[in-house]
Amino acid sequence: MIVSANDLKRKGISYVGKLLKEFESVFISVRGKKKYVILPIEEYERLKELELENAIREAEEDLKKGNYVIESAEEHFKRLGI
């Protein structure tokens, strides 16, 4: 479902709450383009958990492949150009 920023301004957040009972998410459009998305907190937390699980999986793969560097914090910052 797409709601314009002006509709959100006029109808308020309770309108979004009603829409979320019917739709999985609500997009907010600004000047006719989707700019934001509103999700129920449970869906947001599920997505964040998936993101974390993916990061852990990638780190484990890098570890298995030896794709890592052991260095001091100073060496690390120098390598990053900081």
Side-chain angles (χ1 to χ4, degrees):
M1 177 63 162
I2 301 173
V3 175
S4 73
N6 286 332
D7 280 344
L8 179 58
K9 192 183 210 181
R10 282 194 315 271
K11 297 178 182 180
I13 196 68
S14 61
Y15 177 59
V16 173
K18 290 175 189 174
L19 291 174
L20 286 173
K21 290 178 181 176
E22 187 176 343
F23 302 98
E24 290 181 13
S25 58
V26 175
F27 291 94
I28 307 300
S29 68
V30 178
R31 295 181 191 94
K33 293 185 177 184
K34 290 182 200 174
K35 182 140 183 165
Y36 306 101
V37 65
I38 300 174
L39 303 169
I41 192 68
E42 297 82 12
E43 180 63 10
Y44 172 80
E45 289 172 349
R46 186 185 74 79
L47 291 172
K48 292 302 287 180
E49 188 172 328
L50 289 173
E51 183 179 40
L52 179 58
E53 288 172 3
N54 189 50
I56 291 169
R57 189 171 29 262
E58 287 177 5
E60 288 172 340
E61 287 177 25
D62 282 343
L63 188 60
K64 286 178 188 174
K65 293 177 182 175
N67 188 18
Y68 60 91
V69 176
I70 298 176
E71 61 191 0
S72 68
E74 183 178 303
E75 292 167 329
H76 180 69
F77 289 131
K78 187 175 181 179
R79 185 167 55 85
L80 295 175
I82 298 175

